[in-house]
Protein backbone atom coordinates (compact mmCIF):
# COMPACT_ATOMS: atom_id res chain seq x y z
CA UNK A 1 0.00 0.00 0.00
CA UNK A 2 2.82 2.43 0.82
CA UNK A 3 4.39 1.41 -2.48
CA UNK A 4 1.19 2.37 -4.25
CA UNK A 5 1.15 5.68 -2.39
CA UNK A 6 4.68 6.54 -3.47
CA UNK A 7 4.32 5.52 -7.10
CA UNK A 8 0.77 6.61 -7.81
CA UNK A 9 0.28 9.76 -5.75
CA UNK A 10 0.24 11.90 -8.89
CA UNK A 11 -2.93 10.18 -10.11
CA UNK A 12 -4.57 10.64 -6.75
CA UNK A 13 -3.82 14.34 -6.67
CA UNK A 14 -5.31 14.61 -10.17
CA UNK A 15 -8.33 12.63 -9.06
CA UNK A 16 -9.02 14.80 -6.00
CA UNK A 17 -8.69 17.99 -8.04
CA UNK A 18 -10.92 16.58 -10.74
CA UNK A 19 -13.61 15.65 -8.25
CA UNK A 20 -13.50 19.09 -6.60
CA UNK A 21 -13.96 20.68 -10.00
CA UNK A 22 -16.73 18.23 -10.85
CA UNK A 23 -18.51 19.00 -7.57
CA UNK A 24 -18.37 22.74 -8.20
CA UNK A 25 -19.79 22.28 -11.67
CA UNK A 26 -22.77 20.16 -10.65
CA UNK A 27 -23.57 21.49 -7.17
CA UNK A 28 -23.15 25.24 -7.37
CA UNK A 29 -25.70 27.60 -8.81
CA UNK A 30 -23.57 30.54 -9.86
CA UNK A 31 -22.52 30.34 -13.48
CA UNK A 32 -19.17 32.13 -12.99
CA UNK A 33 -18.33 29.69 -10.22
CA UNK A 34 -19.26 26.80 -12.49
CA UNK A 35 -16.72 28.04 -15.03
CA UNK A 36 -14.03 28.26 -12.33
CA UNK A 37 -14.90 24.67 -11.43
CA UNK A 38 -14.61 23.67 -15.05
CA UNK A 39 -11.18 25.32 -15.13
CA UNK A 40 -10.07 23.27 -12.11
CA UNK A 41 -11.30 20.12 -13.83
CA UNK A 42 -9.39 21.12 -16.95
CA UNK A 43 -6.17 21.79 -15.04
CA UNK A 44 -6.39 18.38 -13.39
CA UNK A 45 -6.43 16.79 -16.84
CA UNK A 46 -3.39 18.89 -17.77
CA UNK A 47 -1.58 17.63 -14.69
CA UNK A 48 -2.51 14.03 -15.55
CA UNK A 49 -0.97 14.38 -19.00
CA UNK A 50 2.17 16.18 -17.87
CA UNK A 51 2.82 13.74 -15.03
CA UNK A 52 2.38 10.84 -17.46
CA UNK A 53 5.14 12.35 -19.58
CA UNK A 54 7.64 12.66 -16.73
CA UNK A 55 10.54 10.22 -16.79
CA UNK A 56 12.40 9.96 -13.50
CA UNK A 57 15.89 11.41 -13.86
CA UNK A 58 14.81 13.03 -17.12
CA UNK A 59 15.36 16.64 -18.06
CA UNK A 60 13.33 19.22 -19.95
CA UNK A 61 13.08 18.19 -23.64
CA UNK A 62 15.61 20.64 -25.07
CA UNK A 63 18.42 18.83 -26.87
CA UNK A 64 21.86 19.16 -25.35
CA UNK A 65 24.92 16.96 -25.63
CA UNK A 66 25.32 16.75 -21.86
CA UNK A 67 21.89 15.20 -21.31
CA UNK A 68 20.81 11.69 -22.22
CA UNK A 69 17.39 11.23 -20.59
CA UNK A 70 14.55 13.55 -21.57
CA UNK A 71 10.96 13.73 -20.40
CA UNK A 72 8.34 12.96 -23.02
CA UNK A 73 7.79 16.06 -25.21
CA UNK A 74 4.47 14.90 -26.70
CA UNK A 75 2.21 15.60 -23.67
CA UNK A 76 3.85 19.01 -23.34
CA UNK A 77 2.85 19.91 -26.89
CA UNK A 78 -0.71 18.69 -26.40
CA UNK A 79 -1.20 20.53 -23.12
CA UNK A 80 0.52 23.70 -24.26
CA UNK A 81 -2.04 24.18 -26.99
CA UNK A 82 -4.87 22.91 -24.77
CA UNK A 83 -4.21 25.68 -22.22
CA UNK A 84 -4.51 28.42 -24.82
CA UNK A 85 -7.56 26.83 -26.41
CA UNK A 86 -8.97 26.46 -22.88
CA UNK A 87 -8.71 30.18 -22.13
CA UNK A 88 -10.33 31.00 -25.46
CA UNK A 89 -13.29 28.73 -24.72
CA UNK A 90 -13.50 30.04 -21.13
CA UNK A 91 -13.76 33.54 -22.56
CA UNK A 92 -16.58 32.37 -24.81
CA UNK A 93 -18.35 30.93 -21.74
CA UNK A 94 -17.92 34.18 -19.82
CA UNK A 95 -19.31 36.12 -22.78
CA UNK A 96 -22.37 33.84 -22.76
CA UNK A 97 -22.80 34.47 -19.02
CA UNK A 98 -22.73 38.21 -19.60
CA UNK A 99 -25.45 37.90 -22.24
CA UNK A 100 -27.51 35.63 -19.98
CA UNK A 101 -27.20 38.11 -17.16
CA UNK A 102 -28.40 40.88 -19.45
CA UNK A 103 -31.33 38.82 -20.66
CA UNK A 104 -32.42 37.42 -17.28
CA UNK A 105 -30.96 39.88 -14.78
CA UNK A 106 -29.18 37.10 -12.92
CA UNK A 107 -26.25 34.72 -13.21
CA UNK A 108 -27.82 32.06 -10.99
CA UNK A 109 -28.94 28.84 -12.60
CA UNK A 110 -32.10 28.65 -10.46
CA UNK A 111 -33.38 32.13 -11.33
CA UNK A 112 -32.91 31.50 -15.01
CA UNK A 113 -34.79 28.21 -14.89
CA UNK A 114 -37.66 29.76 -12.93
CA UNK A 115 -38.00 32.56 -15.45
CA UNK A 116 -38.05 30.06 -18.27
CA UNK A 117 -40.91 28.15 -16.72
CA UNK A 118 -43.15 31.20 -16.37
CA UNK B 1 -1.31 23.11 -1.83
CA UNK B 2 -3.13 22.80 -5.12
CA UNK B 3 -5.82 20.77 -3.40
CA UNK B 4 -6.11 23.25 -0.53
CA UNK B 5 -6.59 26.11 -2.98
CA UNK B 6 -9.18 24.15 -4.92
CA UNK B 7 -11.16 23.43 -1.75
CA UNK B 8 -10.96 27.12 -0.90
CA UNK B 9 -12.52 27.88 -4.26
CA UNK B 10 -15.28 25.35 -3.67
CA UNK B 11 -16.42 26.68 -0.28
CA UNK B 12 -16.03 30.41 -0.86
CA UNK B 13 -19.09 32.46 -1.71
CA UNK B 14 -17.38 35.74 -2.48
CA UNK B 15 -16.55 35.55 -6.17
CA UNK B 16 -13.71 38.05 -5.77
CA UNK B 17 -11.79 35.73 -3.47
CA UNK B 18 -12.69 32.78 -5.68
CA UNK B 19 -11.06 34.49 -8.62
CA UNK B 20 -8.01 35.50 -6.57
CA UNK B 21 -7.67 31.90 -5.41
CA UNK B 22 -7.96 30.63 -8.96
CA UNK B 23 -5.11 32.94 -9.91
CA UNK B 24 -2.97 31.46 -7.12
CA UNK B 25 -4.05 28.05 -8.32
CA UNK B 26 -2.79 28.87 -11.82
CA UNK B 27 0.57 30.00 -10.47
CA UNK B 28 0.91 26.87 -8.33
CA UNK B 29 0.19 24.59 -11.24
CA UNK B 30 2.77 26.49 -13.30
CA UNK B 31 5.33 25.69 -10.60
CA UNK B 32 4.20 22.09 -10.68
CA UNK B 33 4.77 21.94 -14.44
CA UNK B 34 8.34 23.21 -13.98
CA UNK B 35 9.10 20.39 -11.56
CA UNK B 36 7.66 18.00 -14.17
CA UNK B 37 10.19 19.29 -16.76
CA UNK B 38 7.42 20.88 -18.82
CA UNK B 39 8.95 24.35 -19.08
CA UNK B 40 6.99 25.37 -22.16
CA UNK B 41 3.73 24.42 -20.53
CA UNK B 42 4.67 26.28 -17.33
CA UNK B 43 5.27 29.44 -19.34
CA UNK B 44 1.82 29.25 -20.85
CA UNK B 45 0.07 28.35 -17.63
CA UNK B 46 1.75 31.21 -15.75
CA UNK B 47 0.57 33.74 -18.31
CA UNK B 48 -2.89 32.26 -18.83
CA UNK B 49 -3.82 30.66 -15.50
CA UNK B 50 -2.41 33.37 -13.26
CA UNK B 51 -2.83 36.33 -15.60
CA UNK B 52 -5.37 36.48 -18.38
CA UNK B 53 -8.06 34.16 -17.10
CA UNK B 54 -8.51 35.86 -13.69
CA UNK B 55 -8.53 39.26 -15.42
CA UNK B 56 -11.35 38.15 -17.72
CA UNK B 57 -13.22 36.77 -14.73
CA UNK B 58 -12.80 40.04 -12.81
CA UNK B 59 -14.31 41.91 -15.70
CA UNK B 60 -17.21 39.49 -15.94
CA UNK B 61 -17.69 39.80 -12.21
CA UNK B 62 -17.86 43.56 -12.44
CA UNK B 63 -20.76 43.12 -14.85
CA UNK B 64 -22.51 40.14 -13.29
CA UNK B 65 -22.13 40.92 -9.59
CA UNK B 66 -19.74 39.91 -6.89
CA UNK B 67 -21.66 37.66 -4.51
CA UNK B 68 -23.40 34.41 -5.10
CA UNK B 69 -27.04 34.89 -4.35
CA UNK B 70 -28.00 31.71 -2.57
CA UNK B 71 -26.46 30.72 0.74
CA UNK B 72 -24.02 27.92 0.26
CA UNK B 73 -25.41 24.46 0.90
CA UNK B 74 -23.72 21.12 0.62
CA UNK B 75 -25.65 19.24 -1.96
CA UNK B 76 -25.81 15.64 -0.76
CA UNK B 77 -26.71 14.01 -4.06
CA UNK B 78 -23.87 15.81 -5.83
CA UNK B 79 -21.46 14.78 -3.06
CA UNK B 80 -22.51 11.14 -3.40
CA UNK B 81 -22.15 11.21 -7.16
CA UNK B 82 -18.72 12.81 -6.89
CA UNK B 83 -17.59 10.26 -4.28
CA UNK B 84 -18.70 7.33 -6.42
CA UNK B 85 -16.93 8.72 -9.48
CA UNK B 86 -13.84 9.37 -7.39
CA UNK B 87 -13.86 5.82 -6.01
CA UNK B 88 -14.17 4.37 -9.51
CA UNK B 89 -11.25 6.48 -10.67
CA UNK B 90 -9.26 5.35 -7.64
CA UNK B 91 -9.78 1.74 -8.68
CA UNK B 92 -8.72 2.66 -12.20
CA UNK B 93 -5.44 4.18 -11.02
CA UNK B 94 -4.35 0.79 -9.68
CA UNK B 95 -3.71 -0.27 -13.27
CA UNK B 96 -1.73 2.82 -14.16
CA UNK B 97 2.06 2.68 -14.54
CA UNK B 98 4.14 4.02 -11.66
CA UNK B 99 4.96 7.71 -11.71
CA UNK B 100 8.14 8.48 -13.66
CA UNK B 101 8.59 4.93 -14.93
CA UNK B 102 10.68 4.98 -18.12
CA UNK B 103 8.88 1.88 -19.50
CA UNK B 104 5.35 3.30 -19.21
CA UNK B 105 3.23 2.97 -22.37
CA UNK B 106 3.26 6.76 -22.79
CA UNK B 107 7.04 6.71 -23.31
CA UNK B 108 6.97 3.89 -25.86
CA UNK B 109 5.06 4.93 -28.95
CA UNK B 110 6.31 7.93 -30.94
CA UNK B 111 8.10 9.78 -28.16
CA UNK B 112 11.50 8.01 -28.59
CA UNK B 113 11.46 8.87 -32.27
CA UNK B 114 10.82 12.55 -31.51
CA UNK B 115 13.65 12.59 -28.99
CA UNK B 116 16.18 10.70 -31.12
CA UNK B 117 15.41 11.88 -34.66
CA UNK B 118 14.14 15.44 -34.34
CA UNK B 119 17.69 16.73 -33.92
CA UNK B 120 18.63 15.52 -37.41
CA UNK B 121 15.25 15.91 -39.12
CA UNK B 122 14.27 19.34 -37.88
CA UNK B 123 17.53 20.69 -36.56
CA UNK B 124 16.34 22.74 -33.59
CA UNK B 125 17.12 21.92 -29.97
CA UNK B 126 13.67 22.45 -28.44
CA UNK B 127 11.84 19.19 -29.12
CA UNK B 128 8.52 20.65 -27.98
CA UNK B 129 8.72 23.28 -30.71
CA UNK B 130 9.66 20.78 -33.40
CA UNK B 131 6.82 18.42 -32.47
CA UNK B 132 4.38 21.32 -32.26
CA UNK B 133 5.32 22.89 -35.55
CA UNK B 134 6.42 19.96 -37.70
CA UNK B 135 5.23 16.53 -36.67
CA UNK B 136 1.92 17.83 -35.39
CA UNK B 137 1.64 20.83 -37.69
CA UNK B 138 -1.89 19.98 -38.85
CA UNK B 139 -3.05 19.67 -35.28
CA UNK B 140 -1.61 23.03 -34.32
CA UNK B 141 -3.22 24.61 -37.36
CA UNK B 142 -6.56 23.25 -36.16
CA UNK B 143 -5.99 24.64 -32.68
CA UNK B 144 -5.12 28.10 -33.96
CA UNK B 145 -8.34 28.00 -35.95
CA UNK B 146 -10.28 27.03 -32.81
CA UNK B 147 -8.82 30.02 -30.98
CA UNK B 148 -9.70 32.29 -33.87
CA UNK B 149 -13.25 30.90 -33.92
CA UNK B 150 -13.63 31.45 -30.19
CA UNK B 151 -12.51 35.04 -30.69
CA UNK B 152 -15.11 35.49 -33.42
CA UNK B 153 -17.72 33.96 -31.11
CA UNK B 154 -16.94 36.35 -28.27
CA UNK B 155 -17.04 39.29 -30.66
CA UNK B 156 -20.40 38.30 -32.06
CA UNK B 157 -21.79 37.88 -28.54
CA UNK B 158 -20.41 41.15 -27.20
CA UNK B 159 -20.23 43.30 -30.29
CA UNK B 160 -19.14 46.73 -29.21
CA UNK B 161 -16.47 47.70 -31.69
CA UNK B 162 -18.47 50.15 -33.77
CA UNK B 163 -19.46 52.21 -30.77
CA UNK B 164 -15.86 52.98 -29.91
CA UNK B 165 -16.16 56.46 -31.40
CA UNK B 166 -18.41 57.85 -28.69
CA UNK B 167 -16.66 59.19 -25.57
CA UNK B 168 -16.11 56.43 -23.05
CA UNK B 169 -15.31 56.68 -19.38
CA UNK B 170 -11.58 56.62 -18.87
CA UNK B 171 -11.88 55.22 -15.37
CA UNK B 172 -12.40 51.63 -16.32
CA UNK B 173 -11.31 50.34 -12.96
CA UNK B 174 -10.42 52.20 -9.80
CA UNK B 175 -6.81 51.11 -10.29
CA UNK B 176 -6.26 54.00 -12.69
CA UNK B 177 -6.05 56.37 -9.71
CA UNK B 178 -3.28 54.48 -7.96
CA UNK B 179 -0.02 56.29 -8.51
CA UNK B 180 2.20 53.37 -7.51
CA UNK B 181 0.40 50.97 -9.83
CA UNK B 182 0.61 53.40 -12.72
CA UNK B 183 4.33 54.04 -12.34
CA UNK B 184 5.30 50.42 -11.71
CA UNK B 185 3.28 49.25 -14.67
CA UNK B 186 4.74 51.96 -16.91
CA UNK B 187 8.18 50.63 -16.05
CA UNK B 188 7.13 47.01 -16.50
CA UNK B 189 5.05 46.99 -19.67
CA UNK B 190 7.90 47.65 -22.11
CA UNK B 191 10.09 44.81 -20.72
CA UNK B 192 7.08 42.46 -20.80
CA UNK B 193 6.53 43.25 -24.48
CA UNK B 194 10.24 42.78 -25.20
CA UNK B 195 10.23 39.51 -23.27
CA UNK B 196 7.28 38.32 -25.35
CA UNK B 197 9.24 38.98 -28.53
CA UNK B 198 12.24 37.14 -27.09
CA UNK B 199 10.03 34.16 -26.21
CA UNK B 200 8.60 34.26 -29.73
CA UNK B 201 11.87 34.16 -31.62
CA UNK B 202 13.92 32.16 -29.16
CA UNK B 203 11.34 29.36 -29.13
CA UNK B 204 13.52 27.18 -31.36
CA UNK B 205 16.38 27.07 -28.86
CA UNK B 206 14.86 27.47 -25.42
CA UNK B 207 11.40 27.19 -23.96
CA UNK B 208 9.01 29.42 -25.82
CA UNK B 209 7.09 29.82 -29.05
CA UNK B 210 4.04 31.39 -30.57
CA UNK B 211 1.45 30.35 -27.99
CA UNK B 212 3.49 31.55 -25.01
CA UNK B 213 4.60 34.77 -26.68
CA UNK B 214 1.04 35.51 -27.76
CA UNK B 215 -0.39 35.28 -24.27
CA UNK B 216 2.48 37.23 -22.68
CA UNK B 217 2.12 39.99 -25.26
CA UNK B 218 -1.62 40.13 -24.72
CA UNK B 219 -1.15 40.19 -20.94
CA UNK B 220 1.00 43.32 -21.23
CA UNK B 221 -1.62 45.08 -23.33
CA UNK B 222 -4.41 44.01 -20.97
CA UNK B 223 -2.50 45.41 -17.97
CA UNK B 224 -2.14 48.67 -19.85
CA UNK B 225 -5.86 48.73 -20.64
CA UNK B 226 -6.77 48.05 -17.02
CA UNK B 227 -4.65 50.85 -15.66
CA UNK B 228 -5.07 53.57 -18.25
CA UNK B 229 -8.59 52.87 -19.41
CA UNK B 230 -10.02 51.48 -22.58
CA UNK B 231 -9.90 54.83 -24.36
CA UNK B 232 -6.15 55.28 -24.22
CA UNK B 233 -5.61 51.62 -25.10
CA UNK B 234 -7.84 52.01 -28.14
CA UNK B 235 -5.91 55.09 -29.15
CA UNK B 236 -2.71 53.07 -29.15
CA UNK B 237 -4.18 49.94 -30.73
CA UNK B 238 -6.97 50.24 -33.25
CA UNK B 239 -9.54 47.53 -32.66
CA UNK B 240 -10.33 47.02 -36.31
CA UNK B 241 -6.62 46.50 -36.92
CA UNK B 242 -6.44 43.87 -34.16
CA UNK B 243 -9.37 42.06 -35.78
CA UNK B 244 -7.53 41.97 -39.09
CA UNK B 245 -4.38 40.71 -37.35
CA UNK B 246 -6.26 37.79 -35.77
CA UNK B 247 -7.18 36.61 -39.26
CA UNK B 248 -3.72 37.40 -40.67
CA UNK B 249 -2.10 34.98 -38.19
CA UNK B 250 -4.28 32.05 -39.27
CA UNK B 251 -3.81 32.93 -42.93
CA UNK B 252 -0.03 33.17 -42.49
CA UNK B 253 -0.01 29.65 -41.08
CA UNK B 254 -2.18 28.37 -43.92
CA UNK B 255 -0.08 30.23 -46.48
CA UNK B 256 3.04 28.34 -45.38
CA UNK B 257 1.14 25.14 -46.13
CA UNK B 258 0.07 26.39 -49.55
CA UNK B 259 3.59 27.57 -50.43
CA UNK B 260 5.01 24.18 -49.54
CA UNK B 261 2.39 22.57 -51.78
CA UNK B 262 3.29 24.92 -54.63
CA UNK B 263 6.94 23.92 -54.13
CA UNK B 264 5.99 20.30 -54.72
CA UNK B 265 5.66 18.96 -51.19
CA UNK B 266 2.67 18.08 -49.02
CA UNK B 267 0.62 20.64 -47.11
CA UNK B 268 2.85 22.02 -44.31
CA UNK B 269 5.88 20.04 -45.50
CA UNK B 270 8.65 22.53 -44.72
CA UNK B 271 11.45 20.50 -46.30
CA UNK B 272 10.71 22.00 -49.73
CA UNK B 273 10.74 25.64 -48.59
CA UNK B 274 14.50 25.95 -49.15
CA UNK B 275 17.20 23.98 -50.94
CA UNK B 276 18.49 22.52 -47.71
CA UNK B 277 15.62 20.71 -45.94
CA UNK B 278 16.93 21.82 -42.56
CA UNK B 279 16.81 25.48 -43.63
CA UNK B 280 13.32 24.86 -44.97
CA UNK B 281 12.29 23.52 -41.59
CA UNK B 282 13.71 26.63 -39.89
CA UNK B 283 11.86 29.02 -42.19
CA UNK B 284 8.63 27.08 -41.87
CA UNK B 285 8.75 26.93 -38.09
CA UNK B 286 9.61 30.60 -37.65
CA UNK B 287 6.81 31.73 -39.94
CA UNK B 288 4.11 29.50 -38.49
CA UNK B 289 5.15 30.35 -34.92
CA UNK B 290 4.80 33.98 -35.91
CA UNK B 291 1.33 33.23 -37.28
CA UNK B 292 0.37 31.47 -34.05
CA UNK B 293 1.75 34.31 -31.93
CA UNK B 294 -0.11 36.99 -33.90
CA UNK B 295 -3.42 35.16 -33.75
CA UNK B 296 -3.19 34.29 -30.06
CA UNK B 297 -2.19 37.81 -29.03
CA UNK B 298 -4.81 39.45 -31.25
CA UNK B 299 -7.63 37.18 -30.10
CA UNK B 300 -6.78 37.66 -26.42
CA UNK B 301 -6.65 41.44 -26.79
CA UNK B 302 -9.92 41.42 -28.76
CA UNK B 303 -11.65 39.32 -26.11
CA UNK B 304 -10.51 41.63 -23.35
CA UNK B 305 -11.50 44.73 -25.31
CA UNK B 306 -14.99 43.42 -25.90
CA UNK B 307 -15.41 42.48 -22.22
CA UNK B 308 -14.15 45.86 -21.06
CA UNK B 309 -16.24 47.59 -23.70
CA UNK B 310 -19.35 45.94 -22.27
CA UNK B 311 -18.41 47.13 -18.82
CA UNK B 312 -17.92 50.71 -19.95
CA UNK B 313 -21.18 50.70 -21.91
CA UNK B 314 -23.06 49.48 -18.87
CA UNK B 315 -21.49 52.25 -16.81
CA UNK B 316 -22.98 54.74 -19.26
CA UNK B 317 -26.42 53.20 -19.03
CA UNK B 318 -26.35 53.51 -15.26
CA UNK B 319 -25.41 57.20 -15.33
Amino acid sequence: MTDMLLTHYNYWVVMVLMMIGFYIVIAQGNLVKKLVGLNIFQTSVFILYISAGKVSGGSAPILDDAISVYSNPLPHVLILTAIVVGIATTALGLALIIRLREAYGSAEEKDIQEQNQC
Amino acid sequence: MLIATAIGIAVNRDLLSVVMLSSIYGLLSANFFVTMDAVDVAFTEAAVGAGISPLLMFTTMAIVGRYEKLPHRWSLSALVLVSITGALLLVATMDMPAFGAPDAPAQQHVAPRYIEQSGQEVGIPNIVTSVLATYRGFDTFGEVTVIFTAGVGVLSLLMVGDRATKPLSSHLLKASQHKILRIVSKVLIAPILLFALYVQFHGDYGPGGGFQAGVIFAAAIIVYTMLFGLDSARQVIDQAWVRVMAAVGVLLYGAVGVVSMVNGGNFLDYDVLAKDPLHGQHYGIIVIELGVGITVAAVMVLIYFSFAGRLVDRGHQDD
Side-chain angles (χ1 to χ4, degrees), chain A residues 20-110:
Chain A
I20 293 171
F22 190 32
Y23 176 78
I24 297 177
V25 172
I26 57 178
Q28 308 250 352
N30 188 288
L31 293 175
V32 178
K33 190 100 171 252
K34 271 181 194 289
L35 265 187
V36 175
L38 213 53
N39 268 345
I40 294 179
F41 197 104
Q42 196 181 20
T43 316
S44 77
V45 178
F46 296 163
I47 293 175
L48 175 68
Y49 267 67
I50 297 294
S51 63
K54 168 78 181 169
V55 177
S56 34
S59 155
I62 295 171
L63 291 173
D64 192 283
D65 292 339
I67 301 166
S68 58
V69 183
Y70 298 100
S71 283
N72 192 341
L74 185 59
H76 299 186
V77 176
L78 299 177
I79 295 314
L80 172 62
T81 48
I83 291 176
V84 183
V85 170
I87 176 71
T89 47
T90 304
L92 195 63
L94 289 172
L96 276 173
I97 293 174
I98 292 176
R99 291 307 299 262
L100 277 174
R101 152 90 195 189
E102 283 170 0
Y104 291 91
S106 164
E108 300 282 337
E109 197 182 31
K110 230 178 186 170

Side-chain angles (χ1 to χ4, degrees), chain B residues 5 49-50 86 134 155 194 197 200 206 210 230 234-235 242 247 274 295 316:
Chain B
T5 324
T134 306
L155 272 187
L194 260 183
L197 288 177
Q200 170 84 51
L230 195 57
R234 275 188 177 147
Q235 276 167 11
V242 182
T295 301
H316 278 281

Side-chain angles (χ1 to χ4, degrees), chain B residues 98-116:
Chain B
F99 173 63
D103 56 349
Q107 331 294 2
Q108 300 298 328
H109 186 47
V110 287
R113 183 193 145 90
Y114 290 154
I115 291 173
E116 283 153 21

Side-chain angles (χ1 to χ4, degrees), chain A residues 4 6-13 15-20 22-24 26-30 32-33 35-36 39-40 43-44 46-48 50-56 58-63 70-74 76-85 87-92 94-99 101-102 106-108 110-111, chain B residues 2-3 6-7 9-10 12 15 25 29 32-33 35-41 44-45 48 53 56-57 60 63-64 68-69 72 74-75 78-79 81-82 85-86 89-90 93-94 96-100 102 106-107 110-111 114-115 119 125-128 131-132 136 143 146-147 150 153-154 157-158 205-207 211-212 296 300 303 307 310:
Chain A
M4 275 307 262
L6 285 175
T7 55
H8 287 66
Y9 69 93
N10 60 323
Y11 301 114
W12 296 351
V13 169
M15 209 190 65
V16 172
L17 286 176
M18 198 180 266
M19 287 308 111
I20 293 171
F22 190 32
Y23 176 78
I24 297 177
I26 57 178
Q28 308 250 352
N30 188 288
V32 178
K33 190 100 171 252
L35 265 187
V36 175
N39 268 345
I40 294 179
T43 316
S44 77
F46 296 163
I47 293 175
L48 175 68
I50 297 294
S51 63
K54 168 78 181 169
V55 177
S56 34
S59 155
I62 295 171
L63 291 173
Y70 298 100
S71 283
N72 192 341
L74 185 59
H76 299 186
V77 176
L78 299 177
I79 295 314
L80 172 62
T81 48
I83 291 176
V84 183
V85 170
I87 176 71
T89 47
T90 304
L92 195 63
L94 289 172
L96 276 173
I97 293 174
I98 292 176
R99 291 307 299 262
R101 152 90 195 189
E102 283 170 0
S106 164
E108 300 282 337
K110 230 178 186 170
D111 296 350
Chain B
L2 272 172
I3 292 176
I7 292 173
I9 293 174
N12 220 313
L15 284 178
Y25 178 83
S29 44
F32 176 85
F33 291 144
T35 61
M36 292 286 161
D37 301 336
V39 277
D40 287 275
V41 182
T44 324
E45 178 66 26
V48 167
S53 116
L56 285 179
M57 289 191 177
T60 314
I63 301 174
V64 170
E68 285 183 66
K69 205 175 169 190
H72 182 74
W74 287 97
S75 158
L79 211 57
L81 180 63
V82 165
T85 321
L89 283 176
L90 186 70
T93 58
M94 301 292 174
M96 298 292 275
F99 173 63
Q107 331 294 2
V110 287
Y114 290 154
I115 291 173
N126 189 349
I127 308 175
V128 172
V131 176
L132 180 92
R136 299 186 63 85
E143 265 140 10
V146 169
I147 293 167
V154 170
L157 281 171
L158 304 176
Y205 303 100
F211 284 99
Q212 297 93 322
V296 171
M300 294 299 155
I303 289 174
F307 274 78
R310 269 281 145 158

Side-chain angles (χ1 to χ4, degrees), chain B residues 121-207:
Chain B
E121 285 180 355
V122 186
I124 58 173
N126 189 349
I127 308 175
V128 172
T129 306
S130 28
V131 176
L132 180 92
T134 306
Y135 299 112
R136 299 186 63 85
F138 280 41
D139 206 38
T140 311
F141 189 40
E143 265 140 10
V144 174
T145 318
V146 169
I147 293 167
F148 177 70
T149 317
V152 172
V154 170
L155 272 187
S156 51
L157 281 171
L158 304 176
M159 198 62 171
V160 288
D162 299 326
R163 282 176 277 168
T165 42
K166 74 176 184 189
L168 296 171
S169 156
S170 58
H171 299 301
L172 179 59
L173 293 173
K174 296 278 186 304
S176 51
Q177 282 120 16
H178 281 282
K179 217 170 211 170
I180 296 176
L181 279 180
R182 287 184 83 117
I183 292 171
V184 169
S185 68
K186 258 186 186 161
V187 174
L188 276 180
I189 284 172
I192 294 177
L193 290 176
L194 260 183
F195 179 66
L197 288 177
Y198 166 78
V199 169
Q200 170 84 51
F201 293 110
H202 201 258
D204 296 2
Y205 303 100

Side-chain angles (χ1 to χ4, degrees), chain B residues 283-301:
Chain B
Y283 295 145
I285 288 174
I286 284 182
V287 175
I288 69 146
E289 289 274 19
L290 192 63
V292 171
I294 291 173
T295 301
V296 171
V299 167
M300 294 299 155
V301 170

